[in-house]
Amino acid sequence: MKNCIDYVKKMEDENHLVSTINCSSDSAYEEFLLTKNMYHKENGRLYIHAEQSFPPGISCDPQLLHDIGRRLIEETDIFKGFQVVIGTHTDCDHVHNHFCINSVNAETGAKWHISKADLEDIKIKSLELCREENIAIWWDKKNSAGKEVLHEQSDDKLHTVKQGEYEKQKQGQSWKFELFLAVKECTKHSFSQEEFISNMGKLGYETQWDQHKHITFTTPEGKKCRNNKLYPPERFTKENLLKQFENNCERRSERTRRIHQKEMDDFVKNASTVLTALKTGKSNGSNYYPLTHMKKKLEGEALREKMKQKENSSYDWEQEM
């Protein structure tokens, strides 16, 4: 518990963005213990460590983001009476708030318990506070006026509206993003439903496309996912995929079709080569996502080429970024 409190406060000397609720920053650990002793609840879960993340690249004063974190605790009923240490970390590409919460309520002595509904309330409140301060959270489905909006997603951005999945995709550890890349690539090179299923099979995915409403994909590791769970879902409906296959047929000559078939076969071979290399370089139990690895490598090569072009021109690289 002390280690968690210290971690939450680790940037206090640098950015001074630490605050507490129902306890003092200097004596939070001792006060947490005192509350447990007072209610004779020294065993079991001692604390809760939570995090509130903001997207990379937002231009916001860290103090404002810290205040949002504090308001989240103060204005959400489930936290009432609990002792909390709040610290804002500014040492990575996205600012984030950490919370260390005593597992025993200082006012009632009740132990911490959270339901799925409570968790959803916290997420909703967090987004509401961001909207109130006009902070754009791209996985938020509403704007500052509370109206539904559809955020545009380009192919080089992460594809999800869930924060946990967002973090996994950033780290290259998302099986759903790997599936997304497979579906995207196979759709581009397929001219029919049957060919799409065949191409997915070449990448190790089983595709169940029958009379049921949704398509069910099974990953090489045995994980199942429906097409409506990919983001944005309207892009992966049966109707939209069939329309894409139809467009592929209309727009491409027989020669172009053969080129696409060869590109698909080459893609499968490259993915297999990368998978073998990843398995060789990693220990047992590691996750292997060759398509994610290939995408990151291509992005890196494109960035290096762009920088090389910049060196030979008067292009304002910093302004472009």
Side-chain angles (χ1 to χ4, degrees):
M1 184 167 68
K2 187 176 186 304
N3 288 339
C4 180
I5 293 174
D6 289 342
Y7 179 76
V8 170
K9 296 170 55 179
K10 76 171 187 174
M11 299 200 70
E12 184 174 20
D13 292 339
E14 182 176 333
N15 61 25
H16 309 292
L17 295 177
V18 169
S19 64
T20 56
I21 295 174
N22 297 324
C23 62
S24 169
S25 177
D26 293 335
S27 58
Y29 174 67
E30 290 75 16
E31 291 181 57
F32 277 30
L33 289 179
L34 184 62
T35 297
K36 296 180 188 299
N37 293 335
M38 183 169 63
Y39 290 105
H40 307 292
K41 294 184 177 179
E42 300 90 346
N43 300 319
R45 190 175 188 180
L46 300 179
Y47 64 92
I48 297 87
H49 181 197
E51 182 180 336
Q52 178 190 30
S53 295
F54 302 93
I58 60 172
S59 55
C60 252
D61 181 0
Q63 179 64 59
L64 175 60
L65 301 182
H66 180 83
D67 293 341
I68 287 175
R70 185 178 179 88
R71 287 185 60 191
L72 177 64
I73 300 297
E74 292 177 332
E75 299 177 19
T76 308
D77 289 341
I78 191 171
F79 298 111
K80 187 178 185 302
F82 283 95
Q83 296 161 306
V84 186
V85 180
I86 308 165
T88 301
H89 291 189
T90 55
D91 56 346
C92 61
D93 63 347
H94 67 289
V95 179
H96 51 286
N97 293 322
H98 282 275
F99 309 93
C100 184
I101 308 164
N102 193 353
S103 62
V104 179
N105 192 294
E107 294 181 2
T108 66
K111 288 282 291 225
W112 173 267
H113 173 75
I114 187 169
S115 65
K116 289 185 177 179
D118 293 327
L119 185 58
E120 190 63 25
D121 287 343
I122 295 171
K123 292 178 180 178
I124 291 171
K125 183 63 178 179
S126 178
L127 291 174
E128 286 177 351
L129 292 171
C130 289
R131 285 187 221 121
E132 186 179 316
E133 298 294 345
N134 293 316
I135 298 174
I137 306 295
W138 66 261
W139 56 77
D140 186 5
K141 295 182 180 180
K142 295 183 179 180
N143 59 19
S144 57
K147 295 181 179 180
E148 294 286 337
V149 295
L150 178 62
H151 297 280
E152 293 185 0
Q153 289 284 309
S154 65
D155 285 343
D156 59 353
K157 286 190 176 181
L158 303 176
H159 292 258
T160 181
V161 293
K162 295 186 177 181
Q163 191 169 342
E165 177 64 16
Y166 169 84
E167 295 296 335
K168 288 180 182 178
Q169 289 184 18
K170 277 176 52 183
Q171 298 163 9
Q173 292 296 309
S174 169
W175 63 268
K176 282 188 179 179
F177 188 54
E178 183 79 357
L179 169 60
F180 163 84
L181 293 175
V183 173
K184 176 172 167 285
E185 191 68 23
C186 290
T187 301
K188 181 172 70 174
H189 295 299
S190 298
F191 299 88
S192 67
Q193 174 184 334
E194 293 73 23
E195 188 173 16
F196 171 78
I197 294 173
S198 174
N199 284 335
M200 289 292 291
K202 293 176 183 177
L203 290 172
Y205 290 86
E206 180 183 333
T207 304
Q208 182 181 339
W209 187 332
D210 48 28
Q211 74 279 5
H212 292 94
K213 181 178 180 180
H214 298 296
I215 303 169
T216 299
F217 300 103
T218 304
T219 72
E221 300 80 25
K223 298 181 184 294
K224 293 183 181 292
C225 180
R226 290 179 175 178
N227 58 322
N228 65 325
K229 297 300 182 182
L230 298 175
Y231 184 83
E234 63 275 6
R235 179 176 177 179
F236 300 101
T237 63
K238 285 184 176 180
E239 295 75 18
N240 198 53
L241 290 174
L242 289 172
K243 182 64 176 176
Q244 185 61 52
F245 303 151
E246 183 181 333
N247 290 340
N248 291 347
C249 290
E250 291 176 354
R251 297 171 183 172
R252 298 169 184 171
S253 65
E254 186 62 35
R255 178 175 177 275
T256 305
R257 287 195 191 190
R258 289 195 294 271
I259 291 174
H260 272 274
Q261 289 168 354
K262 183 178 185 307
E263 287 179 351
M264 185 69 220
D265 290 339
D266 290 342
F267 184 84
V268 172
K269 290 178 183 177
N270 290 338
S272 178
T273 300
V274 171
L275 179 60
T276 300
L278 289 174
K279 287 184 176 180
T280 302
K282 288 187 177 181
S283 59
N284 292 333
S286 298
N287 294 320
Y288 310 111
Y289 300 121
L291 307 191
T292 301
H293 181 85
M294 291 162 65
K295 181 177 185 295
K296 287 182 178 294
K297 183 178 179 181
L298 286 173
E299 288 172 345
E301 291 173 352
L303 180 59
R304 286 192 292 273
E305 180 62 27
K306 198 170 189 179
M307 292 178 70
K308 184 177 180 181
Q309 291 174 3
K310 186 262 179 182
E311 291 173 355
N312 299 318
S313 70
S314 58
Y315 190 69
D316 190 347
W317 173 255
E318 294 299 329
Q319 181 64 31
E320 199 277 341
M321 286 297 286

